[in-house]
Amino acid sequence: MGKFVLLADPRTGSSLMMDCLSQHKNLKIVDSTGGELFNYDYSNLDNKMFDFNLEDLVLRDDGLLLTEESHKFICRKKYCETAHTMYDGYKLLTCHIKNDVEEYLSRVKVIYLHRKNLLAQKVSAIVAIKTGIWFNGNTFEETVVVDPIEVERSIDLFIKRRRDFCNMNLDKITIAYEDNLQDNMNDVCSFLDIKVFQPQVRTKQTIQRPLSEVISNYDEVKHLDKEYNI
């Protein structure tokens, strides 16, 4: 079994996938929130991985995400390398592929997780920001209003990131959020050359209704409610 990285677009079920992988008896996963290496909450990580002062990091006003300047400071190949001396795998978001991280990905196995319905992916992010709960929260029973122009801009960005990833020369497997979870796990286990197992699902979907019931102005964006196969 080689070292691996779960590379995921935001809001694609990556925390669920990492939680499932963490249940495998032969895998040791980074134990920060959702297994994410460059997570905003660095207090949950083993300080031996890093050689910087936490005070040097600049957080957004809401305290949730690193600023662009902070990402330039932290997203480095050496942190990926150091993490893999202690762990078999961890998660990176596509926005973390900065500096020399892309070069490092060419040395390990990469599991790429994406979402086919990009409108659902965007709405999931809107709901997470609205509730302040990014995974394993309560079922969302309210509605949201979305900006059609902003949504289309986000979808274009998701598509660009996916195409950029497809052009990278990596030892990789691609799985989708909408596909059967156990089938995805079987494929991932085979890819990692580890025994197939059936994980316990310990997280739940926040949005359990059709988007037409969640988006107040659905008629303005219904043309985007589809699968994007790239």
Side-chain angles (χ1 to χ4, degrees):
M1 178 194 73
K3 301 293 186 177
F4 75 90
V5 169
L6 176 69
L7 181 63
D9 291 330
R11 311 310 298 167
T12 57
S14 56
S15 294
L16 167 62
M17 180 58 64
M18 288 303 287
D19 183 62
C20 289
L21 288 171
S22 71
Q23 297 174 44
H24 197 287
K25 63 180 181 179
N26 297 126
L27 291 179
K28 186 178 181 182
I29 307 296
V30 165
D31 55 0
S32 63
T33 303
E36 188 176 322
L37 183 60
F38 298 128
N39 188 276
Y40 70 90
D41 186 1
Y42 291 97
S43 62
N44 287 339
L45 289 172
D46 188 331
N47 288 332
K48 294 178 181 178
M49 278 191 210
F50 306 105
D51 56 1
F52 57 84
N53 295 320
L54 296 181
E55 293 78 12
D56 292 334
L57 296 177
V58 182
L59 297 182
R60 220 170 59 182
D61 289 341
D62 57 15
L64 288 175
L65 297 172
L66 290 170
T67 63
E68 183 71 15
E69 190 61 31
S70 294
H71 264 128
K72 290 177 182 177
F73 180 71
I74 182 63
C75 295
R76 293 287 185 182
K77 175 178 63 177
K78 64 180 179 180
Y79 303 128
C80 295
E81 293 172 329
T82 305
H84 267 150
T85 64
M86 295 182 283
Y87 300 96
D88 297 311
Y90 50 80
K91 175 175 74 175
L92 296 180
L93 297 180
T94 49
C95 56
H96 292 158
I97 305 180
K98 299 176 185 294
N99 302 309
D100 46 12
V101 172
E102 181 175 344
E103 187 277 331
Y104 181 72
L105 291 176
S106 66
R107 304 192 222 155
V108 297
K109 291 179 177 288
V110 176
I111 305 162
Y112 178 57
L113 175 62
H114 68 96
R115 197 163 185 163
K116 297 176 183 177
N117 189 317
L118 299 182
L119 177 61
Q121 183 176 344
K122 178 60 180 177
V123 172
S124 176
I126 292 171
V127 169
I129 293 171
K130 179 180 177 65
T131 62
I133 300 173
W134 292 86
F135 69 98
N136 206 24
N138 296 325
T139 302
F140 184 71
E141 302 291 353
E142 303 174 44
T143 59
V144 295
V145 177
V146 299
D147 180 342
I149 296 177
E150 200 275 330
V151 167
E152 290 202 47
R153 186 181 297 118
S154 294
I155 288 176
D156 287 342
L157 177 60
F158 292 149
I159 291 173
K160 180 183 183 303
R161 282 178 176 167
R162 195 173 302 176
R163 285 175 175 161
D164 288 346
F165 170 77
C166 291
N167 290 330
M168 294 171 64
N169 184 23
L170 304 173
D171 182 8
K172 62 192 176 186
I173 183 175
T174 299
I175 57 176
Y177 172 91
E178 290 85 355
D179 293 340
N180 178 270
L181 176 62
Q182 188 59 52
D183 289 343
N184 280 341
M185 288 301 303
N186 294 347
D187 290 342
V188 168
C189 288
S190 177
F191 177 64
L192 297 179
D193 195 24
I194 57 177
K195 186 176 180 180
V196 172
F197 75 114
Q198 185 171 357
Q200 178 185 355
V201 177
R202 300 186 292 199
T203 65
K204 63 181 179 181
Q205 289 182 315
T206 302
I207 301 174
Q208 300 184 3
R209 295 171 291 154
L211 292 180
S212 58
E213 297 178 11
V214 177
I215 304 173
S216 299
N217 57 328
Y218 180 75
D219 284 345
E220 297 182 65
V221 293
K222 63 182 180 182
H223 62 289
L224 301 172
D225 190 3
K226 61 183 180 181
E227 290 191 352
Y228 294 76
N229 294 303
I230 302 168

